[in-house]
Amino acid sequence: MISLLAKQHFLFDPLSLFFLAVIVLISLPSLIYSFSYLRGDYPAAKIILAQVLLLAFVVSMVLVVSVSNCLLFLVFWESMSLVSYFLVVFDTKHEKSIQAGMIYIIMTHFGTAFIIAAFMILRNYAHSFDFFAIKNACQIIPQPTKDIVFLLFLIGFGTKAGIVPLHIWLPYAHPQAPSHISSIMSGVMIKTAIYGIIRFVMFILGVDSFWWGILVLILAVISCLVGVIYALMEHDIKRLLAYHSVENIGIILLGVGLAMFFASVNLPYLSVFSLIAGLYHLINHAIFKGLLFLCSGSVYKATGTRDIEKLGGLIKKMPQTAAYFLIGAMAISALPPLNGFVSEWLILQAFFLGAFNVIGGAKLFLGICAAMLALTSGLAAACFVKAFGITFLAQPRSHYAQNVKEVALSMRAGMFFLALLTIIFGLAAVLVIKLLAKVSGGVLGIDISNMNFSLNNFTIIPQSAKNVYLSTPVLALWLIILGIAGFAIYRIFARGKTVIYKTWDCGYYKLDSRNEYTATAFSKPLRIAFSFFLLPYRKTQKIRESFYHVKSFTYEIHTTKVFKKYIYDPVLVLLFKVAKSMRRIQPGSIHLYLGYIFITLLLLIIFMGQF
Amino acid sequence: MMITLQIILFIVTAPLLSGLIAKIKNNLRMRKGQSIYQPYYNLAKLFSKDEVISQTSSWIFRITPFVVLSSALAAAILIPVFIFTSPAHQMGDFLALVFILALGRFFLALSALDTGSSFGGMGASREMFISSLVEPVFCMVIFAVSLQFGSTDISAFSGMHVIPVSSLIAALALFLVAITETSRIPVDNQETHLELTMVHEAMVLEYSGRSLALIELASYVKQMIFFFLIAQIIFPISLPFGNLMQMLLWVLWYIARIVIIAIAVALVEVTVAKMRLFRVADFLGFAFVLGVIATVCAILGV
């Protein structure tokens, strides 16, 4: 075992270093945040346990992205899953935690099984578990086997990443963990699955069938749309964010899938460019989703509820948390000049540049994928108007939001750090892209020194027939200048006075928070527009005092989770049926069991004789 | 220099366009109608009035007018006006323009929720619903046009001596987008304050005085941006720009293009009835299909 930990089993190429950087950048503020977050809610011994688990979690993630041996990879992958399981069930007082943990651990092992199968097939050819030995052996692996290995990896890592329809565990597990852990799970842990796809599929297997990229693109588009549509229907703030992780994994995979597609049709420049875009969105998502989870944790800590229907008006009581959440919400909605905007622009550019270079129907396919990405970002903006508007603006909707104070310093420090990174990664896009070019070139085995991404001082220029520019610093500068100009006009024409008065209430004498729009009402147009997929249904109940007078009326609206209802539930039913029929061979007779052992032994001896 | 000139040009002339459309609409309905300078009178009146700010609102409500105006103007400097080059094309392209306009909309929707009135929530909800369905159409239009011209830079959409079929269809799709984004019939109606139908007006219901003036100004600028984009796509013919005579011709040509589009908008507004909100999805679905057809035409090279 000790010899396995020797130096040759580790590698620190640009890809690994990039993921190490992502892990450290998100874990550090989460750790700082956790000091005040855990205090007060848990006994001291449990806090120490939480910190130890957090450390083990981070260390296992670090090891996952830096080993160069499949066996060690599996060991650390598994320890990462197990430690995160304990963190998911950390709040043992909630019954939901246990249920969430169960779903999580089953799904993650389902995925790991596929990864193990893929490693076994590769081992058969390479006779070694070393990454580079396998990489060399991949040249002799026949194409059909490669296709199978690719599919195994896609299912295995896709389960961890939360690709639709394997996303089922994400909205259960992420909200249930303590918020700083959710931030690491959503920001970093699911990214290790992207690392797996890039490392094993792109780096080791090498992409040479063009349908791999197409398949990944299609799955990515579905993940984007399903993730964001479900997020729109949520009003548990952490679950809403978990669904957005499904969406953003989809966006990252759009970049990765494009890179695979371009690599297979021999467009190395575009392949590098697309991978840059995908990795850029990866680190951006880690930053702003980490930030948003920390903010939602602050809201939960301060108010004691995660249901945004019960909140409102927090911007006046928690001004700093509100500002950080707003920055995160703007970034995830791809608004300029923040980081989410840059990476989504790059991915759209990758689609457009690709369409200029491929022929025929592929152009239309890329165009429609790009349009779906645009739809996703539009829906994400709608979702975050809802999330921010209902949680932080207007008046408190219940007693939960009445007596609320701003959270402690260490929590604010963690959020501040990530909010700062959100802005920096938006403005310093040029530098980030330069670094990412090295990572992408290394993965794809393409020499990038003669590839010119035309990075001026502050401008990104993707090369095409006619150059296209994007400069976030200039854009930010103009937005500020024009905003100030608007303010100047506002001041110069200040002839009338400004009165602070009640919101117009149509002459109704007392407007209170019950008149405000709710999250459910806000998303109603979209619920109707996507009713073919969401299958909404309502439950109403009237309590009557007499025939004429209805005393109270309850109204609930639910959406059908189609993947759970039509895929997972039937499978579970089948599984229980099989288990029930299997029980017949366990009648309780010790003699029969001894017979089973004997038959098993015989079969094993015969089986070993084959080798 | 060029940028400042363009910003001033947009601010000064944008209200005129709304006045012109209103005049044409009224004349088509056999009415005399208001003066085409009415938007300027409205702005002047709003600037000199008192302003009421809701006591439930926060700083989001106060900064929104500036954010909305600055996003509209930042988008405006990406538009190629002078000799078909945009003065700030190093700043971004057609795709960036879509995202910049989204910034203003995001804040407008937030400020509508900020007042705590149900009208605001209604407006924000509807606006975000419609705008999220507009995005893919917009993207498809950009895709079709940029396939034709080989770039997403708006300045590159020029130098054609014939009008390709794909540009025509893409411009039609963009026209539907423009109608939606400038809140006109059949999607929204600028003229009424009826709670069953209003979208944009419901969002800005709590604004008054100078803040309202800034938001109105931003809407005028946004409308102008869309008209320029349609004009740029549908008439990609550049005229020479040398001596005084040519300059005069060029200015007239520019005005003519915008007036033609204004007439088209007015015609649509007087002949079509307002749609139900949920029909907007079909309307934009149709626009999306137009975008796909435009892309197919661009692939076929016609």
Side-chain angles (χ1 to χ4, degrees):
Chain A
M1 189 63 202
I2 298 297
S3 70
L4 270 175
L5 290 173
K7 207 175 162 189
Q8 69 264 27
H9 295 304
F10 288 88
L11 92 165
F12 293 100
D13 64 347
L15 183 66
S16 292
L17 289 175
F18 169 73
F19 277 90
L20 283 179
V22 175
I23 292 169
V24 172
L25 274 184
I26 310 307
S27 304
L28 213 61
S30 297
L31 183 70
I32 297 169
Y33 179 92
S34 72
F35 292 135
S36 312
Y37 181 75
L38 291 169
R39 194 179 304 143
D41 287 359
Y42 303 98
K46 205 150 185 205
I47 291 176
I48 294 171
L49 175 68
Q51 301 295 19
V52 170
L53 282 175
L54 172 62
L55 208 65
F57 186 34
V58 174
V59 168
S60 57
M61 283 193 296
V62 163
L63 289 168
V64 161
V65 298
S66 56
V67 290
S68 69
N69 181 300
C70 294
L71 218 51
L72 282 174
F73 180 86
L74 275 178
V75 170
F76 296 129
W77 181 264
E78 194 54 30
S79 65
M80 176 180 86
S81 301
L82 287 177
V83 173
S84 53
Y85 164 75
F86 288 119
L87 287 164
V88 169
V89 297
F90 190 72
D91 277 327
T92 36
K93 57 185 169 190
H94 292 295
E95 210 169 284
K96 271 188 177 168
S97 300
I98 310 294
Q99 190 205 356
M102 193 51 104
I103 295 171
Y104 173 50
I105 201 131
I106 290 172
M107 283 310 285
T108 190
H109 282 96
F110 171 80
T112 312
F114 283 89
I115 300 172
I116 293 174
F119 284 162
M120 287 304 164
I121 295 174
L122 291 177
R123 162 89 166 88
N124 235 354
Y125 289 91
H127 306 293
S128 160
F129 279 123
D130 188 66
F131 285 2
F132 293 96
I134 296 175
K135 189 174 164 66
N136 289 332
C138 277
Q139 283 150 6
I140 54 159
I141 297 178
Q143 194 57 42
T145 318
K146 265 191 180 177
D147 289 345
I148 291 168
V149 172
F150 162 70
L151 287 176
L152 290 173
F153 276 135
L154 190 64
I155 296 171
F157 289 120
T159 312
K160 197 72 170 178
I163 301 176
V164 171
L166 300 164
H167 66 287
I168 196 89
W169 61 274
L170 234 131
Y172 290 97
H174 286 203
Q176 218 49 51
S179 295
H180 64 289
I181 300 297
S182 319
S183 137
I184 298 180
M185 280 178 78
S186 204
V188 191
M189 188 189 74
I190 57 173
K191 306 302 182 332
T192 58
I194 303 290
Y195 167 80
I197 290 175
I198 295 173
R199 173 67 78 196
F200 293 108
V201 176
M202 297 181 77
F203 179 71
I204 290 182
L205 275 181
V207 185
D208 34 30
S209 312
F210 84 100
W211 65 266
W212 293 12
I214 303 275
L215 180 66
V216 172
L217 280 178
I218 290 171
L219 286 175
V221 166
I222 293 171
S223 299
C224 285
L225 290 175
V226 170
V228 77
I229 289 170
Y230 277 150
L232 273 162
M233 297 305 129
E234 274 306 328
H235 39 80
D236 173 332
I237 188 151
K238 285 179 79 178
R239 192 177 277 197
L240 180 148
L241 293 174
Y243 273 122
H244 270 287
S245 294
V246 176
E247 175 224 330
N248 278 285
I249 281 291
I251 298 177
I252 294 164
L253 281 177
L254 281 178
V256 174
L258 268 181
M260 288 163 80
F261 174 68
F262 291 139
S264 67
V265 296
N266 203 17
L267 291 166
Y269 172 84
L270 284 173
S271 185
V272 172
F273 183 75
S274 311
L275 195 56
I276 290 174
L279 291 175
Y280 202 161
H281 196 76
L282 187 147
I283 192 163
N284 286 344
H285 176 246
I287 293 167
F288 58 63
K289 186 51 69 62
L291 172 63
L292 287 168
F293 262 118
L294 293 188
C295 293
S296 71
S298 301
V299 170
Y300 179 58
K301 176 98 176 164
T303 63
T305 182
R306 298 193 319 228
D307 186 355
I308 59 174
E309 302 279 40
K310 297 198 174 93
L311 300 173
L314 294 181
I315 194 167
K316 290 173 203 107
K317 288 152 189 156
M318 308 169 72
Q320 293 192 32
T321 305
Y324 300 140
F325 193 97
L326 182 62
I327 289 174
M330 284 170 69
I332 200 170
S333 312
L335 296 181
L338 298 174
N339 59 3
F341 160 65
V342 182
S343 49
E344 282 199 21
W345 186 84
L346 285 171
I347 291 176
L348 281 173
Q349 266 319 322
F351 274 111
F352 280 58
L353 291 180
F356 301 153
N357 288 293
V358 295
I359 44 163
K363 282 183 201 253
L364 190 63
F365 174 72
L366 292 179
I368 288 177
C369 284
M372 289 304 115
L373 175 58
L375 176 61
T376 307
S377 80
L379 291 172
C383 190
F384 275 92
V385 166
K386 180 188 90 173
F388 183 79
I390 304 291
T391 314
F392 289 98
L393 300 180
Q395 284 177 296
R397 288 180 177 75
S398 77
H399 65 91
Y400 288 102
Q402 294 287 1
N403 302 311
V404 175
K405 278 196 210 73
E406 182 62 276
V407 291
L409 181 67
S410 94
M411 288 167 81
R412 277 180 283 151
M415 292 188 283
F416 172 77
F417 181 72
L418 286 174
L420 195 67
L421 282 185
T422 307
I423 295 167
I424 290 173
F425 273 76
L427 295 181
V430 171
L431 300 173
V432 180
I433 286 170
K434 247 182 205 162
L435 291 174
L436 290 180
K438 280 186 196 137
V439 179
S440 308
V443 170
L444 294 158
I446 294 163
D447 185 21
I448 52 147
S449 55
N450 56 0
M451 279 185 192
N452 189 4
F453 286 97
S454 311
L455 302 168
N456 281 356
N457 277 340
F458 301 111
T459 325
I460 310 159
I461 315 170
Q463 281 181 334
S464 64
K466 290 158 193 156
N467 283 332
V468 177
Y469 303 85
L470 178 72
S471 173
T472 36
V474 175
L475 183 53
L477 197 68
W478 272 111
L479 283 174
I480 291 167
I481 291 175
L482 292 167
I484 292 171
F487 186 67
I489 297 173
Y490 180 83
R491 297 298 299 188
I492 290 166
F493 290 97
R495 252 177 286 165
K497 41 181 209 294
T498 303
V499 187
I500 302 209
Y501 196 66
K502 284 188 287 192
T503 300
W504 185 59
D505 50 9
C506 307
Y508 172 69
Y509 70 100
K510 198 175 166 218
L511 197 70
D512 66 3
S513 62
R514 283 178 52 103
N515 294 65
E516 285 167 22
Y517 238 49
T518 58
T520 313
F522 187 91
S523 53
K524 176 148 191 182
L526 288 155
R527 190 160 54 238
I528 289 175
F530 292 107
S531 58
F532 62 90
F533 172 68
L534 290 165
L535 309 176
Y537 59 95
R538 61 182 75 163
K539 286 182 193 161
T540 52
Q541 194 189 9
K542 281 181 191 168
I543 296 173
R544 291 172 186 277
E545 252 174 4
S546 67
F547 179 75
Y548 300 104
H549 182 230
V550 177
K551 193 181 171 196
S552 73
F553 181 77
T554 43
Y555 171 92
E556 286 174 37
I557 184 111
H558 298 275
T559 53
T560 315
K561 300 274 181 266
V562 282
F563 292 101
K564 188 171 174 294
K565 190 173 178 189
Y566 294 108
I567 299 178
Y568 287 90
D569 285 353
V571 168
L572 274 184
V573 168
L574 194 72
L575 218 60
F576 277 107
K577 227 184 228 168
V578 171
K580 226 174 196 172
S581 58
M582 289 276 278
R583 230 168 41 193
R584 253 176 264 155
I585 63 167
Q586 192 199 10
S589 148
I590 194 101
H591 303 102
L592 195 63
Y593 294 169
L594 282 173
Y596 289 155
I597 293 173
F598 182 65
I599 292 166
T600 313
L601 209 63
L602 270 184
L603 285 174
L604 279 177
I605 290 170
I606 295 164
F607 181 70
M608 283 310 285
Q610 300 286 317
F611 293 96
Chain B
M1 179 57 211
M2 203 80 135
I3 297 180
T4 329
L5 199 64
Q6 182 156 336
I7 291 169
I8 292 169
L9 186 80
F10 265 84
I11 292 179
V12 172
T13 58
L16 191 63
L17 197 55
S18 271
L20 182 68
I21 294 173
K23 186 79 182 170
I24 297 170
K25 268 166 70 179
N26 275 317
N27 286 351
L28 284 171
R29 287 167 178 157
M30 301 295 173
R31 290 179 193 154
K32 188 154 171 269
Q34 63 200 21
S35 149
I36 62 168
Y37 304 112
Q38 188 61 39
Y40 295 102
Y41 303 148
N42 288 349
L43 285 179
K45 180 189 74 188
L46 286 172
F47 268 118
S48 61
K49 281 215 164 202
D50 285 0
E51 188 184 349
V52 184
I53 289 179
S54 159
Q55 62 197 14
T56 51
S57 66
S58 62
W59 56 269
I60 299 276
F61 186 81
R62 290 173 186 247
I63 65 159
T64 293
F66 314 121
V67 177
V68 173
L69 184 68
S70 95
S71 86
L73 290 176
I77 57 177
L78 288 173
I79 302 291
V81 173
F82 302 107
I83 2 172
F84 292 100
T85 50
S86 61
H89 76 120
Q90 297 258 350
M91 186 174 94
D93 62 340
F94 206 156
L95 284 170
L97 184 139
V98 179
F99 288 104
I100 294 170
L101 287 179
L103 176 69
R105 186 191 308 127
F106 187 82
F107 271 87
L108 205 55
L110 282 185
S111 72
L113 284 171
D114 202 8
T115 58
S117 120
S118 356
F119 291 114
M122 200 184 283
S125 161
R126 290 173 179 176
E127 172 76 7
M128 294 319 285
F129 165 63
I130 293 170
S131 70
S132 59
L133 297 180
V134 163
E135 300 261 300
V137 184
F138 216 151
C139 183
M140 215 62 219
V141 169
I142 302 173
F143 192 77
V145 178
S146 64
L147 267 185
Q148 192 74 49
F149 291 99
S151 171
T152 54
D153 188 358
I154 312 172
S155 301
F157 305 163
S158 64
M160 276 282 178
H161 296 290
V162 286
I163 302 169
V165 178
S166 72
S167 287
L168 263 181
I169 300 172
L172 190 58
L174 189 60
F175 183 74
L176 301 184
V177 170
I179 282 178
T180 315
E181 289 271 322
T182 54
S183 41
R184 291 192 173 277
I185 296 173
V187 176
D188 191 1
N189 192 349
Q190 293 182 338
E191 292 167 357
T192 66
H193 276 113
L194 187 67
E195 61 264 31
L196 291 175
T197 60
M198 61 181 172
V199 181
H200 181 80
E201 290 300 321
M203 279 205 296
V204 300
L205 202 60
E206 282 302 313
Y207 277 107
S208 54
R210 290 165 278 158
S211 296
L212 183 61
L214 291 183
I215 290 175
E216 295 273 291
L217 189 59
S219 310
Y220 295 142
V221 170
K222 195 170 152 189
Q223 169 171 286
M224 188 95 157
I225 290 170
F226 276 100
F227 283 20
F228 266 110
L229 283 175
I230 296 170
Q232 180 84 8
I233 290 170
I234 209 165
F235 308 110
I237 304 153
S238 45
L239 292 178
F241 190 77
N243 55 29
L244 198 67
M245 190 58 208
Q246 277 174 334
M247 268 163 90
L248 198 69
L249 199 67
W250 179 85
V251 171
L252 281 176
W253 165 235
Y254 232 117
I255 294 169
R257 299 195 309 175
I258 300 299
V259 170
I260 291 169
I261 298 166
I263 292 171
V265 168
L267 271 174
V268 169
E269 278 216 284
V270 293
T271 49
V272 180
K274 162 97 177 59
M275 279 188 297
R276 253 176 0 114
L277 181 67
F278 300 110
R279 291 283 305 283
V280 174
D282 302 341
F283 176 78
L284 291 170
F286 172 66
F288 184 73
V289 171
L290 279 182
V292 173
I293 295 172
T295 308
V296 172
C297 289
I299 293 169
L300 296 175
V302 288

